[in-house]
Amino acid sequence: MKNIDSYTHTRGESIYLDDIPLIRGTLFAACFDSPIAHGKLLSIDTSEAETSEGVVKVLTHKDITGANQIGGIIPDEPLLADHQVHFCGMPIALVLADTDEAARKAVKKIKVQIDPLPVITDPREAAAQNELIIPPRTFKIGDSAGAFAKCDHVFEGKCDTNGQEHLYIETQGAYALPQENGVIKIYSSTQGPTAVQRAVSKVTGLPMHMLEIDVTRLGGGFGGKEDQANTWAALCALATHITRRPVKYSLSRMEDMRMTGKRHPYSSDFKIGLNKDLKIIAFETTTYQNAGAAADLSPAVMERTLFHCTNTYFIPNVTATAYSCRTHLPPNTAFRGFGGPQGMFIIESAIAKAADELGIDAWTIQHKNLLHSGDELPYGQKVESEAHECWNRADELYNLKSIQDKVQDFNAANTLYKKGLAIMPICFGISFTNTLMNQARALVHVYTDGSVVVSTGAVEMGQGINTKMLQVAAHVFSIDPSRVKVNSTNTYRIANTSPSAASATADLNGKATLNACAAILVRLKEVAAAELNVAEGDITLQDEFVYVNGVKTDWNWNKLVLTAHNKRVSISEHGHYATPEIHFDKTKEKGHPFAYHVYGTSITEVTVDCIRGTYEIDAVKLVHDFGHSMNALIDRGQIEGGLVQGIGWMTMEEIVYDKEGKLRSNALSTYKVPDIYAAPKEIDIDFLKTEKSSLAIFRSKAVGEPPLMYGIGAFFALRNAIKHFNADVKPAFDAPMTPEKVLMNLYGQLIKTETPVMTAV
Ligand code: LUZ
Ligand code: MOS
């Protein structure tokens, strides 16, 4: 089945926030944000802005009617700066004007006095000064210190991953409309309508039932709108609450890049111990997360880093400690993978380091240590592994030896071009790590004409969730998909939603939809049984007809639902789903936090131009554990998109803050993202059908985040190509591997491994 949005997308008819027709009297908002990363805010002078043409009002923290607080996990983030600024781009004042242009023009007339304070941009420096968001956490299995003594080989090292700009095509924004009796309706480009509702409630002081949040679709989220859509919705709603006028704010690209947080950079130390058979016996890591100026989702992201720091390998002795470090950057936030990719980069770096030192290929070590079913991860969960199935299938299908030979032959025949190869096996845990968030609800109405409408807590952001929800309803009722419509996500229809995140949206909302449809189906069967004078157990619905013991009757779907209604039987249902079996005890750091894991193996081939340092990704061939894919087209799209986004993070996307905490890569002229030319020349995806996990919707495993981590293979493939050119060089584990870094590595000029910092000009 095609994505149900493809028709309106192709015709440019899909409605995004900025396409909503404006109501007369709409005010346009624009932020004045801090030009300084850290300092005492001594004064805000808005007088000139207030008299600027078209300006209706300028709001500061003094105008906030509720609490000046938008922190989700920890209340440490003011909406508008009051006595201090903590990062460049922190909102200080909000201009409301008759037009977008007037608002942005007036912003430039605001003046502030800020007494600068010392700026920290480096997480290790923050940790040294005890600037931590939460106390450090340690995951532990076995006795790593004791185990190292018994290892034949022990290696230590350091690795770094940089941040990543979400670069959703649709920037952040909100549109707030005053309704009767003080109610405010808010259109928001958010992954979390309930998160927006809570934040707006806190800031305005209005109870949640006075706030209706509605989301039709987003032009991309990638985690950037899990928590950070709240700011713009809260600002617009506050302005509507005060002025009783509609207020809209749709950020420009540069505003968005400057003011919002990104993927968390991490800097990590590692130590790995192997026995002579290349089994990894012990692993230790200490990792420093750059959280930025406020907690946002950083504690949860840090937790997922710990969950994934052994990737898909069984290691009996592990000690992993993580620090969430407060710096003066915009608060970093959720980004596809949610700290998992950063954790996986650490163990992959440790394995590559061991391979370097032992003079062998990393995949020899990788293969020997893949998880088996029943193996226990450092956090206590025993896995149902598909790691060997994926690896073996990849080898069988793509013939690893022949790819190795091809690379070797090419490298023997060429001096100025070198090829590199890497394998990236993945294992990603599915569920929100915060157990209570693993619940969802759906509202299903059948109308008397036989048409069906489904509302869930799921937000469509291009990932195809609405198509999957539609498929669930059509499947359970056994009706034509054209009979089902999926409604916008609205807090008056579905309450207390978890954000569309953690790859779990289709599972959670799909199962809630399934439960709602199944409950209606039971009642419809009761009606049919009574009408046909047979037992309920004899009734089935197939292709829009009632069957009795497998024999088709003349009762069709329309007749059945109309009869049910006429007999005063409800043909509506509100379904609830909560993931069974999951639990986690933070005091012990042990439990069973994930419904299941998703596995896969990718093979990445690259070619480096050894004069220029430029490179191409020749091919990524992968075997992915889909379970039973319920929509192969949509799932393929998720794999391709995730893969290329991961390659971007690992190779070309380079976020640069200067020492003063100012974003230097603040536009698409200075921040390079993959385009069609940067995409692999060949992407080969094998759909591995697996059976072990039954908690996925229709056994169709979560597919949103796992493929991003195949991109990590590009870093190690480039590193291997460099080593084929210059055997003396051991490139630092410092992602992204930009062409500049490739060039310097090729000629043995090792560059610093810290997050790149430029001096301000
Ligand atoms: N968001 C969240 C997530 O709040 N908790 C999670 O565990 C998570 N995982 C992945 C992506 N977003
Ligand atoms: Mo996400 S990182 O699943 O919002």
Side-chain angles (χ1 to χ4, degrees):
M1 186 179 176
K2 281 187 195 138
N3 187 322
I4 52 170
D5 275 345
S6 22
Y7 184 79
T8 54
H9 281 357
T10 311
R11 293 168 60 94
E13 291 172 355
S14 300
I15 306 275
Y16 297 88
L17 184 94
D18 211 21
D19 301 314
I20 296 170
L22 293 178
I23 295 209
R24 191 141 83 193
T26 293
L27 295 175
F28 293 84
C31 256
F32 173 81
D33 59 288
S34 181
I36 299 250
H38 190 203
K40 273 200 189 110
L41 182 54
L42 303 175
S43 70
I44 312 172
D45 177 4
T46 60
S47 55
E48 210 184 311
E50 274 167 77
T51 56
S52 184
E53 198 190 326
V55 171
V56 171
K57 208 169 174 58
V58 181
L59 304 180
T60 68
H61 67 95
K62 294 197 184 104
D63 299 294
I64 291 174
T65 51
N68 184 16
Q69 186 50 248
I70 56 163
I73 297 180
I74 299 171
D76 67 348
E77 190 175 359
L79 174 66
L80 291 168
D82 36 39
H83 58 284
Q84 279 221 336
V85 292
H86 302 280
F87 62 92
C88 280
M90 181 174 186
I92 296 177
L94 190 76
V95 175
L96 305 171
D98 291 330
T99 66
D100 240 333
E101 296 72 23
R104 291 206 163 91
K105 209 164 158 187
V107 160
K108 299 205 175 87
K109 298 179 179 167
I110 292 175
K111 293 180 197 74
V112 287
Q113 272 184 297
I114 298 173
D115 194 1
L117 290 165
V119 173
I120 302 175
T121 57
D122 177 59
R124 289 181 188 254
E125 189 184 333
Q129 298 190 22
N130 208 27
E131 283 290 340
L132 300 180
I133 301 280
I134 51 164
R137 287 175 67 180
T138 298
F139 281 19
K140 199 168 168 24
I141 189 170
D143 165 25
S144 56
F148 278 121
K150 296 182 203 125
C151 289
D152 298 296
H153 312 287
V154 177
F155 307 105
E156 290 181 66
K158 173 174 183 287
C159 66
D160 292 84
T161 49
N162 201 344
Q164 186 175 21
E165 174 65 43
H166 297 87
L167 217 90
Y168 21 65
I169 300 276
E170 179 196 32
T171 55
Q172 303 263 8
Y175 187 21
L177 308 174
Q179 313 285 94
E180 271 188 355
N181 296 315
V183 166
I184 302 174
K185 176 169 184 172
I186 302 151
Y187 294 104
S188 166
S189 181
T190 180
Q191 292 172 242
T194 294
V196 164
Q197 191 185 16
R198 288 198 187 112
V200 172
S201 170
K202 209 173 207 174
V203 166
T204 57
L206 292 169
M208 285 169 78
H209 72 186
M210 299 276 282
L211 303 167
E212 176 185 6
I213 319 300
D214 193 275
V215 185
T216 301
R217 66 165 61 71
L218 321 186
F222 309 115
K225 297 167 182 172
E226 181 175 335
D227 214 46
Q228 299 208 351
N230 298 4
T231 308
W232 327 105
L235 288 170
C236 289
L238 176 71
T240 293
H241 187 49
I242 291 168
T243 63
R244 297 317 301 168
R245 287 177 66 172
V247 177
K248 178 176 166 180
Y249 192 5
S250 173
L251 273 66
S252 73
R253 180 62 65 187
M254 282 180 85
E255 286 172 341
D256 191 304
M257 290 179 84
R258 184 173 77 233
M259 291 196 265
T260 66
K262 309 176 193 315
R263 183 187 291 286
H264 293 78
Y266 277 72
S267 184
S268 315
D269 300 315
F270 60 77
K271 184 172 174 185
I272 187 169
L274 303 93
N275 69 12
K276 59 180 187 325
D277 299 327
L278 301 178
K279 285 270 187 203
I280 305 171
I281 303 301
F283 177 62
E284 284 180 359
T285 181
T286 303
T287 185
Y288 301 89
Q289 176 201 53
N290 191 335
D296 193 275
L297 292 164
S298 299
V301 172
M302 182 186 101
E303 181 174 56
R304 196 174 268 280
T305 302
L306 288 170
F307 282 123
H308 289 85
C309 72
T310 57
N311 189 11
T312 188
Y313 309 109
F314 175 65
I315 310 179
N317 302 285
V318 177
T319 307
T321 299
Y323 291 84
S324 179
C325 310
R326 186 183 286 106
T327 60
H328 300 105
L329 301 183
N332 287 316
T333 194
F335 195 134
R336 203 173 194 171
F338 205 75
Q342 293 97 316
M344 284 155 70
F345 188 82
I346 306 173
I347 184 68
E348 294 302 330
S349 295
I351 289 173
K353 169 87 183 182
D356 276 0
E357 298 295 330
L358 295 169
I360 59 174
D361 292 316
W363 50 84
T364 315
I365 301 173
Q366 289 173 313
H367 187 222
K368 281 217 154 84
N369 291 280
L370 292 175
L371 287 164
H372 288 96
S373 287
D375 282 347
E376 185 177 334
L377 292 165
Y379 48 92
Q381 183 158 349
K382 293 203 169 81
V383 296
E384 293 184 283
S385 177
E386 308 283 1
H388 290 271
E389 286 77 355
C390 291
W391 183 291
N392 293 342
R393 176 84 185 131
D395 196 6
E396 181 187 307
L397 204 59
Y398 307 123
N399 195 343
L400 186 52
K401 178 75 172 59
S402 78
I403 299 176
Q404 268 173 263
D405 290 347
K406 190 182 72 185
V407 167
Q408 221 157 37
D409 292 350
F410 179 93
N411 288 341
N414 290 275
T415 46
L416 296 180
Y417 288 91
K418 293 292 176 188
K419 282 193 191 291
L421 169 64
I423 304 190
M424 184 64 200
I426 62 155
C427 166
F428 195 76
I430 303 301
S431 283
F432 286 95
T433 56
N434 184 3
T435 301
L436 80 85
M437 292 170 81
N438 295 287
Q439 55 173 312
R441 280 153 294 277
L443 181 63
V444 177
H445 295 311
V446 180
Y447 293 102
T448 50
D449 67 352
S451 66
V452 176
V453 71
V454 176
S455 297
T456 73
V459 168
E460 175 62 56
M461 46 187 148
Q463 85 280 44
I465 189 72
N466 283 356
T467 306
K468 288 189 171 180
M469 297 304 98
L470 184 155
Q471 284 181 274
V472 171
H475 180 80
V476 176
F477 290 142
S478 196
I479 55 177
D480 193 84
S482 64
R483 286 195 185 261
V484 186
K485 161 107 180 62
V486 181
N487 222 329
S488 67
T489 316
N490 185 297
T491 53
Y492 276 166
R493 280 191 295 275
I494 305 294
N496 310 321
T497 61
S498 292
S500 287
S503 305
T505 314
D507 282 356
L508 296 174
N509 293 277
K511 295 235 175 175
T513 304
L514 181 97
N515 288 346
C517 294
I520 295 171
L521 188 64
V522 166
R523 295 197 290 269
L524 289 176
K525 284 182 178 177
E526 284 168 3
V527 169
E531 291 293 322
L532 292 163
N533 226 341
V534 295
E536 284 150 34
D538 298 338
I539 302 276
T540 49
L541 265 71
Q542 262 175 60
D543 300 330
E544 309 212 336
F545 275 89
V546 175
Y547 283 66
V548 176
N549 289 321
V551 180
K552 191 172 176 179
T553 68
D554 62 354
W555 277 72
N556 64 15
W557 170 257
N558 284 35
K559 186 173 172 185
L560 180 59
V561 299
L562 187 59
T563 305
H565 177 71
N566 291 346
K567 295 182 82 178
R568 298 186 294 167
V569 171
S570 168
I571 46 175
S572 292
E573 184 75 19
H574 186 252
H576 170 79
Y577 176 74
T579 314
E581 296 169 28
I582 52 172
H583 56 89
F584 194 71
D585 181 350
K586 279 197 188 184
T587 63
K588 300 194 176 78
E589 304 287 26
K590 294 282 180 195
H592 186 104
F594 298 118
Y596 57 90
H597 291 83
V598 171
Y599 297 83
T601 297
S602 68
I603 304 172
T604 306
E605 303 167 53
V606 301
T607 305
V608 170
D609 175 332
C610 301
I611 292 184
R612 297 171 185 83
T614 53
Y615 46 76
E616 287 190 346
I617 313 289
D618 302 323
V620 179
K621 297 169 183 161
L622 62 95
V623 174
H624 186 82
D625 159 26
F626 287 89
H628 296 212
S629 174
M630 69 184 282
N631 191 315
L633 265 177
I634 283 174
D635 287 354
R636 176 180 294 276
Q638 286 295 303
I639 302 282
E640 291 178 352
L643 167 67
V644 174
Q645 195 165 37
I647 291 175
W649 172 51
M650 280 285 112
T651 65
M652 60 201 297
E653 297 184 43
E654 189 170 35
I655 289 183
V656 180
Y657 287 99
D658 63 26
K659 286 194 158 67
E660 283 74 45
K662 218 181 197 87
L663 182 66
R664 291 290 163 181
S665 52
N666 66 349
L668 293 178
S669 52
T670 45
Y671 185 76
K672 181 91 180 113
V673 287
D675 54 21
I676 194 64
Y677 303 104
K681 301 284 158 294
E682 184 188 347
I683 297 178
D684 202 329
I685 300 166
D686 183 62
F687 282 61
L688 186 69
K689 195 168 178 183
T690 57
E691 307 290 343
K692 287 180 194 126
S693 177
S694 59
L695 285 177
I697 178 73
F698 296 154
R699 306 181 88 95
S700 182
K701 281 184 154 187
V703 74
E705 293 170 293
L708 182 128
M709 284 148 272
Y710 293 132
I712 296 172
F715 178 92
F716 291 96
L718 286 169
R719 202 174 168 277
N720 287 338
I722 293 165
K723 291 196 296 174
H724 291 312
F725 179 78
N726 183 344
D728 296 334
V729 74
K730 286 178 186 146
F733 300 105
D734 180 16
M737 188 66 94
T738 58
E740 290 88 338
K741 280 191 208 161
V742 170
L743 193 61
M744 286 191 267
N745 275 310
L746 285 167
Y747 297 95
Q749 250 175 286
L750 290 174
I751 58 165
K752 285 190 311 179
T753 55
E754 298 108 66
T755 310
V757 170
M758 245 174 66
T759 322
V761 274

